[in-house]
């Protein structure tokens, strides 16, 4: 309730400022932005942009999460693999995804594959590092207890180490989702014909400040919905971990 009141007060202050202090080309009022969004919704253009952005995010985020979790567990379970591949991972993770945009366009064109690759790249390292950190922080006493009760290496991994790492994997996924949104929007701005990022870019070129804010608001709403869906799903699937979100 308090959060809703804060948002309402913010929108009221914005509406007053947009109508009395700023001109629409600088800061349009929320009512003008809502009218622009409604007009785009009636034509179906806004729904299409949201759908395209959401589908790209879902594919890239899922692929990056799976790859990052797999590599993190692989690095944690097999020290020789980690020693061989960790320098390459450290080298690549400091290269921002946008730096790969031109090579990705050359390799994959302006189709969906290039955007999936960039989002996957962004998500992978965050999930990998969190998974590896969670794997490394586990207490030796748990493993010793498992071995005392007759568990082999595979059983100890499956029933002790993997469950203990799950919260870190999910935490890395949630953080990686925010990074995925950043990569998605920039990729759509520079190499797409549809999507919320392209809506912002086209609105800027057309000097439509209201359209720009429709795209920005769409990103925020899509992000909130994605985060809420992720939290609800993980709480239901992994309720025994008592996740604090």
């Amino acid at each position: 309730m308090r959060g809703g009141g804060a948002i309402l007060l913010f929108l009221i202050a914005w509406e007053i400022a947009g109508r009395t202090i700023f001109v629409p080309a600088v800061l349009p009022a929320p009512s003008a932005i809502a009218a622009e969004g409604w007009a785009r919704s009636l034509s179906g253009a806004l729904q299409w942009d949201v759908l395209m952005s959401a589908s790209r995010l879902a594919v890239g985020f899922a692929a990056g999460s799976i790859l990052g979790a797999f590599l993190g567990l692989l690095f944690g379970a097999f020290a020789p693999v980690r020693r061989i591949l960790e320098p390459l991972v450290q080298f690549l993770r400091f290269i921002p995804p946008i730096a790969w945009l031109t090579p990705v366009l050359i390799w994959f064109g302006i189709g969906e594959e290039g955007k999936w690759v960039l989002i996957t790249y962004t998500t992978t390292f965050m999930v990998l590092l969190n998974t590896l950190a969670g794997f490394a922080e586990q207490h030796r006493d748990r493993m010793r207890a498992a071995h005392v009760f007759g568990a082999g290496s595979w059983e100890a991994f499956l029933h002790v180490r993997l469950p203990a790492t799950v919260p870190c994997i999910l935490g890395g996924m949630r953080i990686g989702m925010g990074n995925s949104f950043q990569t998605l929007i920039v990729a759509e701005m520079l190499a797409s014909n549809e999507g919320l990022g392209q809506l912002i870019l086209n609105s800027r070129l057309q000097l439509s400040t209201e359209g720009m804010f429709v795209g920005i608001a769409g990103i925020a709403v899509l992000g909130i919905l994605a985060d809420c869906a992720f939290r609800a799903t993980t709480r239901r699937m992994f309720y025994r971990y008592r996740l604090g979100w």
Side-chain angles (χ1 to χ4, degrees), residues 28-208:
S31 58
I33 298 172
E36 177 68 18
W38 178 251
R40 290 180 178 272
S41 297
L42 292 177
S43 66
L46 181 59
Q47 292 91 322
W48 179 248
D49 287 332
V50 171
L51 178 62
M52 292 303 298
S53 294
S55 63
R56 291 162 180 160
L57 181 73
V59 173
F61 175 72
S65 297
I66 294 172
L67 180 60
F70 172 77
L71 291 177
L73 293 172
L74 183 66
F75 287 9
F78 300 99
V81 176
R82 183 176 67 252
R83 285 194 292 268
I84 293 172
L85 296 181
E86 188 173 17
L88 177 61
V89 170
Q90 295 296 339
F91 174 80
L92 291 174
R93 78 182 185 91
F94 288 106
I95 303 175
I98 304 308
W100 290 107
L101 183 61
T102 299
V104 166
L105 287 176
I106 295 174
W107 298 333
F108 298 97
I110 62 172
E112 299 301 299
E113 293 83 359
K115 301 173 189 61
W116 295 341
V117 168
L118 289 174
I119 297 171
T120 300
Y121 176 89
T122 302
T123 308
T124 296
F125 295 109
M126 186 61 65
V127 178
L128 189 159
L129 293 176
N130 275 267
T131 302
L132 187 58
F135 196 95
E137 289 178 0
Q138 296 170 30
H139 299 290
R140 295 182 179 179
D141 293 341
R142 294 182 179 180
M143 296 298 295
R144 290 173 179 171
H147 290 310
V148 167
F149 284 102
S153 299
W154 171 249
E155 293 173 320
F157 171 82
L158 189 62
H159 298 289
V160 178
R161 285 203 158 186
L162 180 58
T165 310
V166 167
C168 293
I169 296 175
L170 298 177
M173 290 173 63
R174 192 179 178 195
I175 298 172
M177 183 185 295
N179 295 341
S180 298
F181 267 88
Q182 300 175 25
T183 301
L184 166 72
I185 298 306
V186 176
E188 287 183 340
M189 284 183 174
L190 300 179
S192 180
N193 295 321
E194 63 278 306
L196 292 173
Q198 187 59 212
L199 171 59
I200 296 173
L201 179 63
N202 287 339
S203 298
R204 180 181 69 84
L205 297 177
Q206 297 168 6
L207 302 179
S208 173

